[in-house]
Amino acid sequence: MDDVEVSRDLQMAVQLFTPEFTVGESNLTVSGRVQNLSAETIDAMTLTLLDAAGSELDRIEATGLGLSTEEMYPFSFDTPLGLTIGEETYYSVAVTSGERSSSTRSSVKNLAFQTTRRVVLEEMTGTTCRFCPQGHVVIERLEKDFGENFIPIAIHSYPGGQFYTDESYSYSQFLGLAAAPTAVIDRLYLASPLGSEYEMVGSGDNRLWYDIVAERIGTYADADINIEGMSADADGNVNVDVTVRYAFRASNLNVNLLTVVTEDGISGVQLNNFVDSDAPVMADWEAGGPYGQPNTPYTFTNVMRGAIGTTFNGTGGYLPSEVEAATDCNVRISFAMPTHVADAANTRISVLMIDANTGRVINAARKAYSTGICNMAGDGDVSVRTESGSLRIESAGDFSA
């Protein structure tokens, strides 16, 4: 069959205001608005609230509306939607007006506990990119304002850069990053660090890194993820122990884990296009500032040194397809420290939970690399304490570690 055209004449649109996440509630009010997209005035409509099985929970008979084209009718059902703690409740709202009809389906995740979202920013950058100091400035501000809830990954894929690698190039290509400095945030948004007037906070549709990160940090995640510990085995491989705890009972999950090793404290030279700028936000990179040279020495942080996964979308099989609310899933990820790492003591390990169906980041965790102390034994009492920045170990007899 050739030359088939499929179209939908949408004459009414339903927008819901009911939150998609809540914590420990017994019910929620379903509300929203209907917009008339037809060329005719709508005088009456019926709105029906349906549960997941399609059974009617409540109904609104609206008359005398006089709703002209593009106008909106706000609604709120009297009967609340019943919720169960630790469950996702599905529902739909159907609207009819004469021969016109429309519907929308949604859900509420009623979390058993309040999750902590950490936002991942994956940036294309490079030492030979003259405009990339913008990214350095904004990331420094985001780290200052949001601390460990913000996880930046600097992918040095700009051609000719000091930290450029084939892996970093492939990483940027996978994410669809083709210009520097740009970034994807939680693999939901592609954005620039600053606006056309070098503003850090955007307006309207001009959303920038700071706006998006601040908004995302203020939302709930489906699950918490934490790095509980690290160790090194006899072959020198790194073992990272991770705990994932979903805040609601979930099924049909398809979640990958991507591990990224970043390194801080790396000395290099950054090309700088802002020596003659007068933008306040770029003051440190202007003439007279600490980096106010065309080729300025700079200490780089968050440099991507290696990504561990079947693809840059991570590896599946670590987490089950069905989980109960508030139940720990314990995972161990093992890998060799990437060869590009200059000093393992300056690295941090990030683990990203990625929805394999959508490619979006669900949540993430990051921790400084440390293998701690293991296999410590003594013939007598052994004590361990810090003293003047050092670790002091005392044993009453023979001691080994």
Side-chain angles (χ1 to χ4, degrees), residues 3-88:
D3 300 323
V4 176
E5 179 179 342
V6 178
S7 62
R8 181 185 181 192
D9 184 14
L10 185 63
Q11 297 187 341
M12 295 185 297
V14 182
Q15 179 183 8
L16 296 174
F17 298 153
T18 306
E20 296 181 358
F21 288 87
T22 189
V23 181
E25 297 289 344
S26 59
N27 59 68
L28 274 182
T29 298
V30 176
S31 63
R33 62 188 180 188
V34 180
Q35 185 175 22
N36 179 12
L37 300 179
S38 73
E40 300 177 354
T41 298
I42 295 178
D43 290 320
M45 67 174 69
T46 300
L47 298 94
T48 309
L49 175 63
L50 306 168
D51 64 16
S55 300
E56 182 176 321
L57 300 176
D58 200 1
R59 176 182 292 244
I60 297 173
E61 297 285 357
T63 59
L65 299 177
L67 202 66
S68 59
T69 303
E70 301 295 332
E71 283 191 332
M72 300 182 186
Y73 169 70
F75 67 87
S76 179
F77 288 99
D78 291 333
T79 301
L81 179 69
L83 304 175
T84 301
I85 295 174
E87 299 279 347
E88 182 174 13

Coordinates of all heavy atoms in Angstrom, one line a residue, residues 3-88:
D3 N 1.5 5.7 -0.6 CA 0.9 7.0 -0.5 C -0.2 7.1 0.5 O -1.3 7.6 0.3 CB 0.4 7.5 -1.9 CG 1.4 7.6 -2.9 OD1 2.6 7.9 -2.5 OD2 1.2 7.2 -4.1
V4 N 0.1 6.5 1.7 CA -0.9 6.5 2.8 C -0.6 7.7 3.7 O 0.6 7.8 4.2 CB -0.9 5.2 3.6 CG1 -1.8 5.3 4.8 CG2 -1.3 4.1 2.7
E5 N -1.5 8.6 4.0 CA -1.3 9.7 4.9 C -2.1 9.5 6.2 O -3.4 9.2 6.1 CB -1.7 11.0 4.2 CG -1.6 12.2 5.2 CD -1.9 13.5 4.5 OE1 -2.0 13.5 3.3 OE2 -2.2 14.5 5.2
V6 N -1.5 9.5 7.3 CA -2.2 9.4 8.6 C -2.2 10.7 9.3 O -1.2 11.3 9.5 CB -1.5 8.3 9.5 CG1 -2.2 8.2 10.8 CG2 -1.4 7.0 8.8
S7 N -3.4 11.2 9.7 CA -3.5 12.5 10.3 C -4.5 12.4 11.4 O -5.4 11.5 11.5 CB -3.9 13.6 9.4 OG -5.1 13.3 8.8
R8 N -4.4 13.3 12.4 CA -5.4 13.4 13.5 C -5.9 14.8 13.6 O -5.1 15.8 13.7 CB -4.7 13.0 14.8 CG -5.7 13.0 16.0 CD -4.9 12.6 17.3 NE -5.9 12.6 18.4 CZ -5.5 12.6 19.6 NH1 -4.2 12.6 19.9 NH2 -6.3 12.6 20.6
D9 N -7.2 14.9 13.5 CA -7.8 16.3 13.6 C -8.1 16.5 15.1 O -9.2 16.2 15.6 CB -9.1 16.3 12.8 CG -9.7 17.7 12.8 OD1 -9.0 18.7 13.2 OD2 -10.9 17.8 12.3
L10 N -7.1 17.1 15.8 CA -7.3 17.3 17.2 C -8.1 18.6 17.4 O -7.6 19.7 17.1 CB -5.9 17.4 17.9 CG -5.9 17.6 19.4 CD1 -6.5 16.3 20.1 CD2 -4.5 17.8 19.9
Q11 N -9.3 18.5 18.0 CA -10.1 19.7 18.1 C -10.2 20.2 19.6 O -10.7 21.3 19.8 CB -11.5 19.4 17.6 CG -11.5 19.1 16.1 CD -12.9 18.9 15.5 OE1 -13.9 18.7 16.3 NE2 -13.1 19.1 14.2
M12 N -9.8 19.4 20.5 CA -9.7 19.8 21.9 C -8.4 19.2 22.5 O -8.0 18.0 22.2 CB -10.9 19.2 22.7 CG -12.2 19.9 22.3 SD -13.6 19.3 23.3 CE -13.6 17.6 23.0
A13 N -7.7 19.9 23.3 CA -6.5 19.5 24.0 C -6.7 19.6 25.5 O -7.2 20.5 26.0 CB -5.3 20.3 23.5
V14 N -6.2 18.5 26.1 CA -6.3 18.4 27.6 C -4.9 18.6 28.2 O -4.0 17.9 27.8 CB -6.9 17.1 28.1 CG1 -7.1 17.1 29.6 CG2 -8.3 16.9 27.4
Q15 N -4.8 19.5 29.1 CA -3.5 19.7 29.9 C -3.8 19.5 31.3 O -4.7 20.1 31.9 CB -3.0 21.1 29.7 CG -1.7 21.4 30.4 CD -1.2 22.8 30.3 OE1 -1.9 23.7 29.7 NE2 0.0 23.1 30.8
L16 N -3.0 18.6 32.0 CA -3.2 18.3 33.4 C -2.3 19.1 34.3 O -1.1 19.3 33.9 CB -3.0 16.8 33.6 CG -4.0 15.8 32.9 CD1 -3.6 14.4 33.1 CD2 -5.4 16.1 33.4
F17 N -2.8 19.5 35.4 CA -1.9 20.2 36.4 C -1.6 19.3 37.6 O -0.8 19.7 38.5 CB -2.7 21.4 37.0 CG -3.1 22.4 35.9 CD1 -4.2 23.2 36.1 CD2 -2.3 22.6 34.8 CE1 -4.5 24.2 35.2 CE2 -2.6 23.5 33.9 CZ -3.7 24.3 34.0
T18 N -2.1 18.1 37.7 CA -1.8 17.2 38.8 C -0.4 16.8 38.8 O 0.1 16.4 37.7 CB -2.7 15.9 38.6 OG1 -4.1 16.3 38.5 CG2 -2.6 15.0 39.8
P19 N 0.3 16.9 39.9 CA 1.7 16.5 39.9 C 2.0 15.0 39.6 O 1.1 14.2 39.9 CB 2.2 16.8 41.3 CG 0.9 16.9 42.1 CD -0.2 17.3 41.2
E20 N 3.1 14.7 39.0 CA 3.4 13.4 38.6 C 4.1 12.6 39.8 O 4.3 11.4 39.8 CB 4.3 13.3 37.4 CG 3.6 13.8 36.1 CD 4.5 13.8 34.9 OE1 5.6 13.4 35.0 OE2 4.0 14.1 33.8
F21 N 4.6 13.4 40.8 CA 5.3 12.8 41.9 C 4.6 13.4 43.2 O 4.3 14.6 43.2 CB 6.8 13.1 42.0 CG 7.6 12.4 40.9 CD1 7.7 12.9 39.7 CD2 8.2 11.2 41.3 CE1 8.5 12.2 38.7 CE2 9.0 10.5 40.4 CZ 9.1 11.0 39.1
T22 N 4.5 12.6 44.2 CA 4.2 13.1 45.5 C 4.8 12.1 46.5 O 5.3 11.1 46.1 CB 2.7 13.2 45.7 OG1 2.4 13.9 47.0 CG2 2.0 11.8 45.7
V23 N 4.8 12.5 47.8 CA 5.4 11.6 48.8 C 4.4 11.3 49.9 O 3.9 12.3 50.6 CB 6.7 12.3 49.4 CG1 7.3 11.4 50.5 CG2 7.7 12.7 48.3
G24 N 4.1 10.1 50.1 CA 3.3 9.6 51.2 C 1.9 10.2 51.3 O 1.4 10.3 52.4
E25 N 1.3 10.4 50.2 CA -0.1 11.0 50.2 C -1.1 9.8 50.1 O -0.8 8.8 49.5 CB -0.3 12.0 49.1 CG 0.6 13.2 49.2 CD 0.2 14.1 50.3 OE1 -1.0 14.0 50.8 OE2 1.0 15.0 50.7
S26 N -2.4 10.1 50.5 CA -3.4 9.1 50.4 C -4.3 9.4 49.1 O -5.0 8.5 48.6 CB -4.3 9.1 51.6 OG -4.9 10.4 51.8
N27 N -4.3 10.7 48.7 CA -5.1 11.0 47.5 C -4.6 12.4 46.9 O -3.9 13.1 47.6 CB -6.6 11.1 47.8 CG -6.9 12.1 48.9 OD1 -6.8 13.3 48.7 ND2 -7.4 11.5 50.0
L28 N -5.0 12.7 45.7 CA -4.7 13.9 45.1 C -5.9 14.4 44.2 O -6.6 13.6 43.7 CB -3.5 13.8 44.1 CG -2.1 14.0 44.7 CD1 -1.0 13.8 43.6 CD2 -1.9 15.3 45.4
T29 N -6.0 15.7 44.1 CA -7.1 16.2 43.3 C -6.6 16.3 41.8 O -5.4 16.8 41.6 CB -7.5 17.6 43.7 OG1 -8.0 17.6 45.0 CG2 -8.5 18.3 42.8
V30 N -7.4 15.8 40.9 CA -7.0 15.9 39.5 C -7.6 17.1 38.9 O -8.8 17.4 38.9 CB -7.5 14.6 38.7 CG1 -7.2 14.7 37.2 CG2 -6.9 13.4 39.3
S31 N -6.8 18.0 38.3 CA -7.2 19.2 37.7 C -6.4 19.5 36.4 O -5.4 18.9 36.1 CB -7.0 20.4 38.7 OG -5.7 20.6 39.0
G32 N -6.9 20.5 35.7 CA -6.2 20.9 34.4 C -7.1 21.9 33.7 O -7.9 22.6 34.2
R33 N -6.9 21.8 32.3 CA -7.7 22.7 31.5 C -7.8 22.1 30.1 O -7.0 21.3 29.7 CB -7.1 24.1 31.4 CG -5.7 24.1 30.8 CD -5.1 25.5 30.9 NE -3.7 25.6 30.3 CZ -2.9 26.6 30.4 NH1 -3.3 27.7 31.0 NH2 -1.7 26.6 29.8
V34 N -8.9 22.5 29.4 CA -9.2 22.0 28.1 C -9.2 23.2 27.2 O -9.8 24.2 27.4 CB -10.6 21.3 28.0 CG1 -10.9 20.9 26.6 CG2 -10.7 20.2 29.0
Q35 N -8.4 23.1 26.1 CA -8.4 24.2 25.1 C -9.2 23.8 23.8 O -9.1 22.7 23.3 CB -6.9 24.4 24.7 CG -6.8 25.6 23.8 CD -5.3 26.0 23.5 OE1 -4.4 25.1 23.6 NE2 -5.1 27.2 23.1
N36 N -9.9 24.7 23.4 CA -10.7 24.6 22.1 C -9.8 24.8 20.9 O -9.4 26.0 20.7 CB -11.9 25.5 22.1 CG -12.7 25.4 20.9 OD1 -12.6 24.4 20.1 ND2 -13.7 26.3 20.7
L37 N -9.5 23.8 20.2 CA -8.7 23.9 19.0 C -9.5 23.9 17.7 O -8.9 24.0 16.6 CB -7.6 22.8 18.9 CG -6.6 22.8 20.1 CD1 -5.7 21.6 20.0 CD2 -5.9 24.1 20.3
S38 N -10.8 23.8 17.8 CA -11.6 23.8 16.6 C -12.0 25.2 16.2 O -11.7 26.2 16.9 CB -12.9 23.0 16.9 OG -13.8 23.8 17.8
A39 N -12.6 25.3 15.0 CA -13.0 26.6 14.5 C -14.4 27.0 15.0 O -14.8 28.2 14.7 CB -13.0 26.6 13.0
E40 N -15.0 26.2 15.8 CA -16.4 26.5 16.3 C -16.4 26.7 17.8 O -15.5 26.2 18.5 CB -17.3 25.3 16.0 CG -17.4 25.0 14.5 CD -18.3 23.8 14.2 OE1 -18.7 23.1 15.2 OE2 -18.5 23.5 13.0
T41 N -17.3 27.4 18.3 CA -17.5 27.7 19.7 C -18.0 26.4 20.4 O -18.9 25.8 19.9 CB -18.5 28.9 19.9 OG1 -17.9 30.0 19.3 CG2 -18.7 29.1 21.4
I42 N -17.5 26.1 21.5 CA -17.9 25.0 22.3 C -18.8 25.5 23.5 O -18.3 26.3 24.3 CB -16.8 24.2 22.9 CG1 -16.0 23.5 21.7 CG2 -17.2 23.1 23.9 CD1 -14.8 22.8 22.2
D43 N -20.0 25.1 23.6 CA -20.9 25.5 24.6 C -21.1 24.5 25.8 O -21.4 24.9 26.9 CB -22.3 25.8 24.0 CG -22.4 27.0 23.1 OD1 -21.7 28.0 23.5 OD2 -23.0 26.9 22.0
A44 N -20.8 23.3 25.5 CA -20.9 22.2 26.5 C -19.9 21.1 26.3 O -19.5 20.8 25.2 CB -22.4 21.7 26.5
M45 N -19.5 20.5 27.4 CA -18.6 19.4 27.3 C -18.7 18.5 28.5 O -19.2 19.0 29.6 CB -17.1 19.8 27.1 CG -16.5 20.5 28.4 SD -14.7 20.9 28.2 CE -14.8 22.1 26.9
T46 N -18.3 17.2 28.4 CA -18.3 16.3 29.5 C -16.9 15.8 29.7 O -16.2 15.4 28.8 CB -19.2 15.1 29.2 OG1 -20.6 15.5 28.9 CG2 -19.2 14.1 30.3
L47 N -16.5 15.9 31.0 CA -15.1 15.5 31.4 C -15.3 14.3 32.3 O -16.1 14.4 33.3 CB -14.4 16.6 32.1 CG -14.0 17.8 31.2 CD1 -15.1 18.9 31.5 CD2 -12.7 18.4 31.6
T48 N -14.6 13.2 32.1 CA -14.7 12.0 32.9 C -13.3 11.6 33.4 O -12.4 11.5 32.6 CB -15.3 10.9 32.1 OG1 -16.5 11.3 31.4 CG2 -15.6 9.7 33.0
L49 N -13.2 11.4 34.7 CA -12.0 10.9 35.3 C -12.1 9.4 35.4 O -13.1 8.8 36.0 CB -11.9 11.5 36.7 CG -10.7 11.0 37.6 CD1 -9.4 11.3 36.9 CD2 -10.7 11.6 39.0
L50 N -11.1 8.6 34.8 CA -11.1 7.2 34.8 C -9.9 6.6 35.5 O -8.8 7.2 35.4 CB -11.1 6.7 33.3 CG -12.2 7.3 32.4 CD1 -11.9 7.0 30.9 CD2 -13.6 6.7 32.8
D51 N -10.1 5.5 36.1 CA -9.0 4.8 36.7 C -8.2 4.0 35.7 O -8.5 4.0 34.5 CB -9.4 4.0 37.9 CG -10.3 2.8 37.6 OD1 -10.4 2.4 36.4 OD2 -10.9 2.2 38.5
A52 N -7.2 3.2 36.1 CA -6.4 2.5 35.2 C -7.1 1.4 34.4 O -6.8 1.1 33.3 CB -5.2 1.8 36.0
A53 N -8.2 0.9 35.0 CA -9.0 -0.1 34.3 C -10.1 0.5 33.4 O -10.9 -0.2 32.8 CB -9.7 -1.0 35.4
G54 N -10.2 1.8 33.4 CA -11.2 2.5 32.6 C -12.5 2.7 33.3 O -13.5 3.1 32.7
S55 N -12.6 2.5 34.6 CA -13.8 2.7 35.4 C -13.9 4.2 35.7 O -13.0 4.8 36.1 CB -13.8 1.8 36.6 OG -13.8 0.5 36.3
E56 N -15.2 4.7 35.7 CA -15.4 6.1 36.0 C -15.3 6.4 37.5 O -15.9 5.7 38.3 CB -16.8 6.5 35.5 CG -17.1 7.9 35.7 CD -18.4 8.4 35.1 OE1 -18.8 7.9 34.0 OE2 -19.2 9.2 35.8
L57 N -14.5 7.4 37.8 CA -14.3 7.8 39.2 C -15.1 9.1 39.5 O -15.6 9.3 40.6 CB -12.9 8.1 39.5 CG -11.9 6.9 39.3 CD1 -10.5 7.3 39.6 CD2 -12.3 5.8 40.3
D58 N -15.3 10.0 38.5 CA -16.0 11.2 38.6 C -16.3 11.8 37.2 O -15.7 11.4 36.2 CB -15.1 12.2 39.4 CG -16.0 13.3 40.0 OD1 -17.2 13.3 39.9 OD2 -15.4 14.2 40.7
R59 N -17.3 12.8 37.2 CA -17.7 13.3 36.0 C -18.1 14.8 36.2 O -18.6 15.2 37.2 CB -18.9 12.6 35.4 CG -19.5 13.1 34.2 CD -20.7 12.3 33.8 NE -20.4 11.0 33.3 CZ -20.6 10.5 32.1 NH1 -21.1 11.2 31.2 NH2 -20.2 9.2 31.8
I60 N -17.7 15.6 35.2 CA -18.1 17.0 35.2 C -18.9 17.3 33.9 O -18.5 17.0 32.8 CB -16.9 17.9 35.2 CG1 -16.0 17.7 36.4 CG2 -17.3 19.4 35.0 CD1 -14.7 18.5 36.4
E61 N -20.1 17.8 34.1 CA -21.0 18.2 33.0 C -20.9 19.8 32.9 O -21.5 20.4 33.8 CB -22.4 17.7 33.2 CG -22.6 16.2 33.2 CD -22.5 15.6 31.8 OE1 -22.3 16.4 30.8 OE2 -22.5 14.4 31.7
A62 N -20.2 20.3 32.0 CA -20.0 21.7 31.9 C -20.9 22.3 30.8 O -20.9 21.8 29.6 CB -18.6 22.1 31.6
T63 N -21.7 23.3 31.1 CA -22.6 23.9 30.1 C -22.5 25.4 30.1 O -21.9 26.0 31.0 CB -24.1 23.5 30.4 OG1 -24.4 24.0 31.7 CG2 -24.3 22.0 30.3
G64 N -23.1 26.0 29.0 CA -23.1 27.5 28.9 C -21.7 28.0 28.9 O -21.4 29.1 29.4
L65 N -20.7 27.4 28.2 CA -19.3 27.8 28.2 C -19.0 28.9 27.3 O -18.3 29.8 27.6 CB -18.5 26.6 27.8 CG -18.5 25.3 28.8 CD1 -17.7 24.2 28.2 CD2 -18.1 25.7 30.2
G66 N -19.6 28.9 26.0 CA -19.2 29.9 25.0 C -17.7 29.9 24.8 O -17.1 31.0 24.7
L67 N -17.1 28.8 24.7 CA -15.7 28.7 24.5 C -15.3 28.8 23.1 O -15.4 27.9 22.3 CB -15.2 27.3 25.1 CG -13.7 27.1 25.6 CD1 -13.5 28.0 26.8 CD2 -13.4 25.7 25.9
S68 N -14.7 29.9 22.7 CA -14.3 30.2 21.3 C -12.9 29.6 21.0 O -12.3 29.0 21.9 CB -14.3 31.7 21.1 OG -13.4 32.3 21.9
T69 N -12.5 29.7 19.8 CA -11.3 29.0 19.4 C -10.1 29.6 20.2 O -10.0 30.8 20.4 CB -11.0 29.3 17.9 OG1 -12.1 28.9 17.1 CG2 -9.7 28.7 17.4
E70 N -9.2 28.6 20.6 CA -8.0 28.9 21.4 C -8.3 29.2 22.9 O -7.4 29.2 23.7 CB -7.2 30.0 20.9 CG -6.7 29.8 19.4 CD -5.8 28.6 19.3 OE1 -5.1 28.3 20.3 OE2 -5.7 28.0 18.2
E71 N -9.6 29.4 23.3 CA -9.9 29.6 24.7 C -9.8 28.4 25.5 O -9.9 27.3 25.0 CB -11.3 30.3 24.8 CG -11.3 31.7 24.5 CD -12.7 32.4 24.9 OE1 -13.7 31.7 24.9 OE2 -12.6 33.6 25.1
M72 N -9.7 28.5 26.8 CA -9.4 27.4 27.7 C -10.5 27.3 28.8 O -10.9 28.4 29.3 CB -8.0 27.5 28.3 CG -6.9 27.5 27.3 SD -5.3 27.5 28.0 CE -4.2 27.6 26.6
Y73 N -10.8 26.1 29.2 CA -11.8 25.9 30.3 C -11.0 25.1 31.4 O -10.6 24.0 31.2 CB -12.9 25.0 29.8 CG -13.8 24.5 30.9 CD1 -14.6 25.4 31.7 CD2 -13.8 23.1 31.2 CE1 -15.4 24.9 32.7 CE2 -14.6 22.7 32.3 CZ -15.4 23.5 33.0 OH -16.2 23.1 34.0
P74 N -10.9 25.8 32.6 CA -10.2 25.1 33.7 C -11.2 24.1 34.4 O -12.4 24.4 34.5 CB -9.8 26.2 34.6 CG -10.8 27.3 34.3 CD -11.2 27.2 32.9
F75 N -10.6 23.0 34.9 CA -11.5 22.0 35.5 C -10.8 21.4 36.8 O -9.5 21.4 36.8 CB -11.9 20.9 34.6 CG -10.8 20.0 34.1 CD1 -10.4 18.9 34.9 CD2 -10.1 20.3 33.0 CE1 -9.4 18.1 34.5 CE2 -9.1 19.5 32.5 CZ -8.7 18.4 33.3
S76 N -11.6 20.9 37.7 CA -11.1 20.2 38.9 C -12.1 19.2 39.3 O -13.3 19.6 39.6 CB -10.7 21.2 40.0 OG -10.3 20.5 41.1
F77 N -11.8 18.0 39.4 CA -12.8 16.9 39.8 C -13.0 17.0 41.3 O -12.0 17.2 42.1 CB -12.3 15.6 39.4 CG -12.4 15.3 37.9 CD1 -11.2 15.4 37.1 CD2 -13.6 15.0 37.3 CE1 -11.3 15.2 35.8 CE2 -13.6 14.8 35.9 CZ -12.5 14.9 35.2
D78 N -14.2 16.8 41.7 CA -14.5 16.8 43.2 C -14.0 15.5 43.9 O -13.6 15.6 45.0 CB -16.0 16.9 43.4 CG -16.6 18.2 43.0 OD1 -15.8 19.2 43.0 OD2 -17.8 18.3 42.6
T79 N -14.1 14.4 43.2 CA -13.6 13.1 43.8 C -12.1 13.0 43.6 O -11.6 13.0 42.5 CB -14.3 11.9 43.1 OG1 -15.7 12.1 43.3 CG2 -13.8 10.6 43.7
P80 N -11.3 12.9 44.7 CA -9.9 12.8 44.5 C -9.5 11.5 44.0 O -10.2 10.5 44.1 CB -9.4 13.0 46.0 CG -10.5 12.6 46.9 CD -11.8 13.0 46.1
L81 N -8.3 11.4 43.4 CA -7.7 10.2 43.0 C -7.0 9.5 44.1 O -6.1 10.0 44.8 CB -6.7 10.5 41.9 CG -6.0 9.3 41.3 CD1 -6.9 8.4 40.4 CD2 -4.8 9.7 40.4
G82 N -7.5 8.3 44.4 CA -6.9 7.5 45.6 C -5.5 7.0 45.2 O -5.2 6.6 44.1
L83 N -4.6 7.1 46.2 CA -3.2 6.7 46.0 C -2.8 5.7 47.1 O -3.4 5.7 48.2 CB -2.3 7.9 46.1 CG -2.6 9.1 45.2 CD1 -1.6 10.3 45.5 CD2 -2.4 8.7 43.7
T84 N -1.8 4.9 46.8 CA -1.2 4.0 47.7 C 0.3 4.3 47.8 O 1.0 4.5 46.8 CB -1.3 2.5 47.2 OG1 -2.7 2.2 47.1 CG2 -0.7 1.6 48.2
I85 N 0.8 4.4 49.1 CA 2.2 4.8 49.3 C 3.1 3.7 48.7 O 2.9 2.6 48.9 CB 2.5 5.0 50.8 CG1 1.7 6.2 51.3 CG2 4.0 5.2 51.0 CD1 1.8 6.3 52.8
G86 N 4.1 4.2 47.9 CA 5.0 3.3 47.3 C 4.5 2.7 46.0 O 5.0 1.7 45.5
E87 N 3.4 3.2 45.4 CA 2.8 2.7 44.2 C 2.7 3.8 43.1 O 2.6 5.0 43.5 CB 1.4 2.1 44.4 CG 1.4 0.9 45.4 CD 1.8 -0.4 44.7 OE1 1.9 -0.4 43.5 OE2 2.1 -1.3 45.5
E88 N 2.7 3.4 41.9 CA 2.4 4.4 40.8 C 0.9 4.1 40.4 O 0.6 3.0 40.0 CB 3.3 4.1 39.6 CG 3.1 5.1 38.4 CD 4.1 5.0 37.3 OE1 4.9 4.0 37.3 OE2 4.2 5.9 36.5

